[in-house]
C-alpha cells in the first residue's frame, strides 16, 4: 500500500499519523493522499464547523394519523398532512421507532419530517420522527363501539359470576 493510501486509510479508521498529525477532515485526508499541499497544523481545521446561524431548518412537514394495523415489527397508519395540502396516505413504520411504547390499532401518531441545511459544504440532511399521542380524542362512534365490546364481554363472563 502506498504511503499516501496508508495515511488516508489511517484517517478513515481514526488513527493519527505521526508525520502529519491528525487529518481533521476527510478533505484533508484526500488532499494529503493526492499529494496536494496541506495546511499547517497551527492553522487549525481547514473548514470551521457550521455556526448555529448557518444551520437552516426548512421544509418542515407534519402529518397526523391513526394506526390501522399492527404486525410483528411494523405498523400501518393512515396519515393526513396537517398543512391541509394533499390527501391521506397509508404509511408503514417500524415499531422500533416507538419502543418501548406498545402500538395498537386506533393509536394516534404524529409524523414530522425536517430538511436541515447545515451550510458551507456540510450538505443537507432530512430527519424524521414518529410519536404517539396517548391522550386521544374519541368520536361518539368509537365510544359506542367500546361500550358495545364491554357489554359483550360482560355477557360472555356473566355465567361465571355468582
Amino acid at each position: 500500500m502506498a504511503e499516501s493510501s496508508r495515511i488516508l486509510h489511517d484517517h478513515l479508521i481514526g488513527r493519527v499519523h505521526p508525520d502529519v498529525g491528525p487529518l481533521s477532515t476527510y478533505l484533508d485526508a484526500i488532499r494529503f493522499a493526492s499529494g496536494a499541499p496541506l495546511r499547517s497544523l497551527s492553522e487549525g481545521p481547514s473548514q470551521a464547523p457550521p455556526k448555529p446561524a448557518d444551520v437552516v431548518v426548512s421544509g418542515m412537514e407534519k402529518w397526523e394519523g391513526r394506526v390501522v394495523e399492527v404486525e410483528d415489527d411494523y405498523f400501518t397508519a393512515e396519515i393526513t398532512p396537517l398543512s391541509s395540502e394533499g390527501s391521506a396516505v397509508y404509511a408503514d413504520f417500524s415499531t422500533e421507532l416507538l419502543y418501548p411504547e406498545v402500538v395498537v390499532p386506533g393509536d394516534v401518531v404524529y409524523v414530522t419530517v425536517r430538511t436541515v441545511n447545515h451550510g458551507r459544504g456540510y450538505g443537507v440532511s432530512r430527519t424524521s420522527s414518529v410519536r404517539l399521542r396517548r391522550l386521544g380524542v374519541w368520536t361518539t362512534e368509537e365510544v359506542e363501539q367500546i361500550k358495545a365490546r364491554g357489554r359483550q364481554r360482560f355477557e360472555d363472563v356473566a355465567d361465571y359470576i355468582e
Side-chain angles (χ1 to χ4, degrees):
M1 182 182 295
E3 177 69 10
S4 60
S5 296
R6 187 178 60 74
I7 292 172
L8 177 59
H9 174 263
D10 288 352
H11 166 72
L12 294 174
I13 63 170
R15 287 191 196 133
V16 175
H17 194 274
D19 296 333
V20 294
L23 299 174
S24 61
T25 68
Y26 181 72
L27 292 176
D28 282 346
I30 296 288
R31 197 175 290 122
F32 181 82
S34 69
L38 288 175
R39 61 177 173 43
S40 74
L41 293 176
S42 62
E43 291 175 30
S46 61
Q47 194 172 24
K51 297 177 200 148
D54 294 341
V55 177
V56 177
V57 177
S58 63
M60 187 176 301
E61 302 167 42
K62 296 179 181 182
W63 291 270
E64 179 182 39
R66 188 169 303 276
V67 175
V68 294
E69 184 179 3
V70 179
E71 292 294 326
D72 294 333
D73 53 355
Y74 76 93
F75 65 94
T76 302
E78 180 182 17
I79 56 175
T80 306
L82 291 176
S83 65
S84 29
E85 297 174 10
S87 58
V89 296
Y90 287 89
D92 293 335
F93 300 95
S94 170
T95 54
E96 290 180 5
L97 293 172
L98 296 172
Y99 183 81
E101 297 285 343
V102 176
V103 182
V104 297
D107 279 346
V108 176
V109 294
Y110 295 105
V111 179
T112 305
V113 178
R114 297 172 190 87
T115 302
V116 180
N117 185 342
H118 299 280
R120 295 204 315 241
Y122 284 88
V124 175
S125 64
R126 289 180 65 87
T127 62
S128 61
S129 64
V130 179
R131 58 187 172 51
L132 288 177
R133 181 177 78 185
R134 277 299 177 202
L135 299 174
V137 177
W138 296 338
T139 66
T140 304
E141 180 182 337
E142 289 171 319
V143 171
E144 291 306 316
Q145 289 173 350
I146 292 167
K147 287 181 182 179
R149 283 197 313 259
R151 282 190 292 274
Q152 182 62 47
R153 287 183 182 163
F154 178 77
E155 290 173 14
D156 291 345
V157 298
D159 295 337
Y160 299 103
I161 299 173
E162 292 184 358

